[in-house]
Amino acid sequence: MKRGFGSAALAALAIAATAAFGGSSGEAAAGALERLQNGKIKIGYREDAAPYSYKNTIGEAAGYTVDLCRAVVAQLKAELELPEISITYVPVTSSNRFKAVQNGQVDLLCGAATATLARRDVVDFSIPVFIDGAAVLTKVDGPKNFSSLKGHKIGVLEATTTESLLRDIVNKTDLQSEIVTVANHQDGREKLEGGEISAYFSDRALLVYLAAQSSQAKSLHVGTRYFSHEPYALAMKRGDSNFRLAVDRALSRIYRSDSISAIFDNAFNGAKPSDILKAMYLVSALPE
């Protein structure tokens, strides 16, 4: 995944930060950058969205987007010449994550959030950090394809774009399936394993991870069909344009460096990024 890009000039972030701090401390534009200047940032993360964002076995925030956010914070720390930045990790759910950003409980949302136009009415998003798509997890001895799920119960995580997509598919076809919402992905997998549902609908990388972590892994099958393309991004409060620019600049630099390879490998255990993800890194490595 080495990009072959040369090192970029790093002065622009300091200029943007200086402009942000130039006004009074009450200016909304200062926002998260002002808190950064005081050596603090609040990162929101999901505890149940592995391999992107989760609580690991020793109770720490972990995952692809969490590690990516740590790398962003490291970039900001260096550019602002801060001695230290204290990160507070704030657990959020699929239901309350955007409200946590809106009310200032979280400066940077580092979960598995799909950037949509509707959500941009509520929060701002960074440049993309991952591309995934909805797929189906079933039992090996269960329904063989999506059309075979007619009349069956299908599980999906509540308050997600995949729930909206699944409801739209069911409403526009003759599946006549019952949609069962769950509070977290583990609950969805357990309901599938226990026979309470016939399939679990979510982003494919999440399903691959869920299946691999199961004690019944050999009995589970992740479908290869994609029902959507989900561009993930980091969310932050609307109107804080200087902070958003700083985050985008940090992400662009990370994509131009070899560090994105290490972040990906750590989260996906040596798997290779898809061609579309490689293209996303290339396109999102914005020039200075």
Side-chain angles (χ1 to χ4, degrees), residues 1 65 182 188 227 275:
M1 284 176 57
T65 46
V182 299
F227 294 85
D275 288 342

Side-chain angles (χ1 to χ4, degrees), residues 81-95:
E81 298 182 348
L82 299 175
E84 194 56 63
I85 293 180
S86 173
I87 300 176
T88 300
Y89 295 96
V90 181
V92 296
T93 66
S94 61
S95 300

Side-chain angles (χ1 to χ4, degrees), residues 8-271:
L10 301 177
L13 177 57
I15 294 173
T18 301
F21 301 137
S24 66
S25 60
E27 289 184 48
L33 278 177
E34 186 176 26
R35 285 188 289 279
L36 271 174
Q37 186 75 356
N38 293 325
K40 298 178 181 179
I41 190 170
K42 294 173 288 187
I43 286 180
Y45 78 103
R46 291 266 299 282
E47 295 182 316
D48 63 340
Y52 303 106
S53 173
Y54 62 98
K55 181 185 286 188
N56 64 20
T57 55
I58 59 174
E60 295 178 339
Y64 171 81
T65 46
V66 172
D67 286 345
L68 193 54
C69 281
R70 290 189 181 115
V72 166
V73 172
Q75 285 268 346
L76 296 176
K77 174 177 174 288
E79 290 313 302
L80 297 174
E81 298 182 348
L82 299 175
E84 194 56 63
I85 293 180
S86 173
I87 300 176
T88 300
Y89 295 96
V90 181
V92 296
T93 66
S94 61
S95 300
N96 70 12
R97 52 187 168 170
F98 298 120
K99 196 163 287 288
V101 174
Q102 283 181 300
N103 64 23
Q105 185 183 2
V106 164
D107 293 318
L108 193 59
L109 181 61
C110 305
T114 301
T116 69
L117 293 174
R119 286 175 173 176
R120 285 175 63 184
D121 276 334
V122 179
V123 296
D124 277 342
F125 286 101
S126 69
I127 56 177
V129 297
F130 201 83
I131 298 288
D132 203 0
V136 180
L137 178 68
T138 59
K139 286 189 171 181
V140 171
D141 59 359
K144 301 303 179 187
N145 51 54
F146 198 74
S147 60
S148 300
L149 289 170
K150 183 173 182 177
H152 288 258
K153 294 181 178 180
I154 306 174
V156 67
L157 185 66
E158 62 182 359
T160 59
T161 54
T162 43
E163 181 191 355
S164 299
L165 173 64
L166 179 60
R167 291 191 183 280
D168 189 53
I169 292 172
V170 170
N171 289 336
K172 291 181 178 179
T173 64
D174 63 346
L175 275 181
Q176 300 173 12
S177 299
E178 179 183 344
I179 296 174
V180 178
T181 58
V182 299
N184 58 66
H185 293 298
Q186 286 72 25
D187 183 32
R189 185 190 64 198
E190 289 168 6
K191 279 182 167 55
L192 174 63
E193 292 169 338
E196 295 180 56
I197 57 177
S198 299
Y200 186 61
F201 194 72
S202 188
D203 292 345
R204 194 172 189 278
L206 288 166
L207 296 180
V208 170
Y209 186 89
L210 278 175
Q213 297 298 309
S214 172
S215 60
Q216 302 178 31
K218 292 183 179 179
S219 70
L220 299 177
H221 171 72
V222 180
T224 56
R225 178 182 174 186
Y226 281 93
F227 294 85
S228 68
H229 285 97
E230 307 284 337
Y232 289 178
L234 309 179
M236 59 208 84
K237 198 168 187 176
R238 286 196 74 190
D240 198 348
S241 58
N242 286 299
F243 182 56
R244 185 181 63 185
L245 175 60
V247 170
D248 285 348
R249 185 175 283 114
L251 286 170
S252 294
R253 291 169 176 167
I254 291 166
Y255 296 160
R256 286 196 296 268
S257 73
D258 285 336
S259 60
I260 190 59
S261 299
I263 292 169
F264 183 93
D265 290 345
N266 184 55
F268 295 97
N269 299 316

